[in-house]
C-alpha cells in the first residue's frame, strides 16, 4: 500500500467536535490519530478551536486538506453553508461544498440536506448525510430501487432513497426527548441516579417499554409516558431501571409510528437498514423484531468515513 493522501475529516456538531487525521487510499481509509473538542455552542471562536485541535498535525505534516460536516456549517457555526435540496446524490453535495482556507490549510464544509418530508413539513440534516451516502455506496441499490434507512442517534432520521439519490426524510426527537424527560420532568425526579441500562435487568425493562408501545397500536406516546411514573409509584418498576423502561417507550413509539407512516411504501419491500452505533442499532432492531419486521444494520462510523471520501474535493491520484 502506498503512502496515501493525508486528510483531516470530522463531524463538528452542537455538542462536540470529532476530528480524525486520516490516510486516504484508493481502497479505503486509515485513521492515523483522532482529536476531540467542544461543540459549536461552547467553542467560542470555531477557527481558534479548529487550529488548536489540529496544530500538532499541521506542525508535523504541513498543510492538510480538511473536510468537515455537521452544525459547523450552520448559521451558528464557522461558515454558513446553504443546504442541498432533495432529491440529491453525493455528486450534488460535492458540487455544493463551501471551501475556504485558514492558516494556509484548505477547508471544505459539507452543505447538509433539506427536503419537504412525507408529512409536508420542512426537514433538514447536517452531518448525518455523510453516513447516509457512505451506506448507499456500500449497498449499491439499483436505479429505481427504493430503500428505507434510519440514521440512529439523538435525532433519528428516517430516509427514503431511490437508487443513489436521497428523496426525503423525517426527523424524530427521540433521544433528546428521553434526555429531557429524565433530567427535567416529573418522570425523572422519581428515578434513582444509578443507571441500570447496561444490565440484563435494564434491557428487560427496555423491552417492556417496547412491548407496551407495540402491543397497543392505539396507545400514544403522550399517554404512555406517565406509566414510567405510575409503575414506579405502584412498586412495579425499580427506580434505577425506570430510565430503561422510558427509553423503551420512546424508541418503541418512534419505530412503530415511523413504520406506520411509511406503510405501503415500496421501500418496505426490502429490510429497513439502521445506520449508527451497534448499541443504538440493536435497541431499534428490538422494536422491529417485536413488530415482526425484517431489519438490517450498517456501522455508522464506517459509513461516515466512506461518505467523507466520496465528498472529498481535494482528491488527486490516490495511492493504491
Amino acid at each position: 500500500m502506498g503512502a496515501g493522501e493525508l486528510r483531516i475529516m470530522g463531524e463538528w456538531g452542537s455538542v462536540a467536535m470529532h476530528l480524525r487525521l486520516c490516510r486516504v487510499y484508493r481502497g479505503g481509509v486509515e485513521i492515523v490519530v483522532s482529536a476531540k473538542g467542544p461543540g459549536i455552542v461552547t467553542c467560542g471562536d470555531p477557527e481558534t478551536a479548529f487550529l488548536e485541535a489540529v496544530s500538532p498535525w499541521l506542525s508535523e505534516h504541513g498543510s492538510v486538506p480538511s473536510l468537515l460536516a455537521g452544525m459547523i456549517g450552520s448559521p451558528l457555526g464557522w461558515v454558513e453553508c446553504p443546504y442541498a435540496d432533495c432529491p440529491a446524490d453525493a455528486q450534488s453535495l460535492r458540487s455544493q461544498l463551501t471551501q475556504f482556507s485558514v492558516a494556509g490549510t484548505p477547508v471544505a464544509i459539507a452543505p447538509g440536506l433539506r427536503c419537504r418530508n412525507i408529512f409536508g413539513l420542512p426537514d433538514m440534516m447536517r452531518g448525518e448525510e455523510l453516513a447516509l451516502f457512505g451506506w448507499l455506496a456500500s449497498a449499491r441499490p439499483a436505479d429505481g430501487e427504493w430503500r428505507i434507512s434510519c440514521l440512529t442517534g439523538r435525532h433519528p432520521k428516517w430516509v427514503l432513497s431511490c437508487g443513489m439519490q436521497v428523496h426525503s426524510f423525517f426527523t424524530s426527537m427521540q433521544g433528546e426527548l428521553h434526555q429531557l424527560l429524565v433530567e427535567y420532568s416529573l418522570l425523572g425526579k422519581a428515578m434513582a441516579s444509578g443507571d441500570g441500562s447496561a444490565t440484563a435487568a435494564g434491557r428487560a425493562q427496555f423491552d417492556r417499554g417496547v412491548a407496551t408501545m407495540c402491543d397497543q397500536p392505539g396507545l400514544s406516546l403522550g399517554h404512555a409516558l406517565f406509566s414510567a411514573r405510575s409503575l414506579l409509584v405502584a412498586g412495579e418498576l425499580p427506580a434505577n431501571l425506570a430510565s430503561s423502561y422510558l427509553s423503551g417507550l420512546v424508541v418503541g413509539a418512534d419505530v412503530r409510528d415511523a413504520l406506520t407512516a411509511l406503510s405501503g411504501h415500496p421501500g418496505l419491500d426490502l429490510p429497513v437498514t439502521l445506520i449508527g452505533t451497534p448499541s443504538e442499532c440493536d435497541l431499534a432492531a428490538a422494536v422491529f423484531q417485536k413488530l415482526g419486521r425484517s431489519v438490517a444494520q450498517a456501522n455508522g462510523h464506517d459509513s461516515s468515513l466512506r461518505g467523507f471520501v466520496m465528498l472529498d474535493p481535494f482528491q488527486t491520484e490516490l495511492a493504491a
Side-chain angles (χ1 to χ4, degrees), residues 86-109:
C86 291
D89 58 15
Q91 182 54 42
S92 61
L93 255 70
R94 195 171 188 261
S95 68
Q96 295 182 63
L97 293 168
T98 296
Q99 300 188 50
F100 56 98
S101 181
V102 56
T105 294
V107 177
I109 300 179

Side-chain angles (χ1 to χ4, degrees), residues 18 26 42 46 64 79 85 87 90 103 107 156 184 213 233 282:
H18 298 280
R26 189 178 296 121
T42 58
V64 180
V79 176
D85 290 313
V107 177
Y184 299 107
M213 300 310 303
V233 172
D282 285 346

Side-chain angles (χ1 to χ4, degrees), residues 214-294:
C214 294
D215 291 344
Q216 303 180 80
L219 178 62
S220 72
L221 179 60
H223 291 133
L225 287 175
F226 191 71
S227 66
R229 174 169 174 79
S230 62
L231 287 170
L232 194 154
V233 172
E236 300 175 25
L237 177 63
N240 67 317
L241 301 178
S243 177
S244 298
Y245 172 75
L246 179 63
S247 179
L249 293 178
V250 175
V251 176
D254 183 35
V255 174
R256 181 199 68 180
D257 294 348
L259 291 177
T260 298
L262 294 166
S263 179
H265 193 280
L268 287 180
D269 294 340
L270 295 171
V272 173
T273 299
L274 303 171
I275 308 168
T277 67
S279 59
E280 291 169 348
C281 290
D282 285 346
L283 293 178
V287 188
F288 281 83
Q289 182 179 6
K290 180 66 178 175
L291 293 169
R293 303 298 297 261
S294 58

Side-chain angles (χ1 to χ4, degrees), residues 67 69 110 127-135 303-304 306-308 311:
L67 177 57
E128 298 95 341
E129 69 276 8
L130 278 298
L132 178 57
F133 283 110
W135 166 69
S303 298
S304 182
R306 194 178 300 114
F308 272 109
L311 296 190

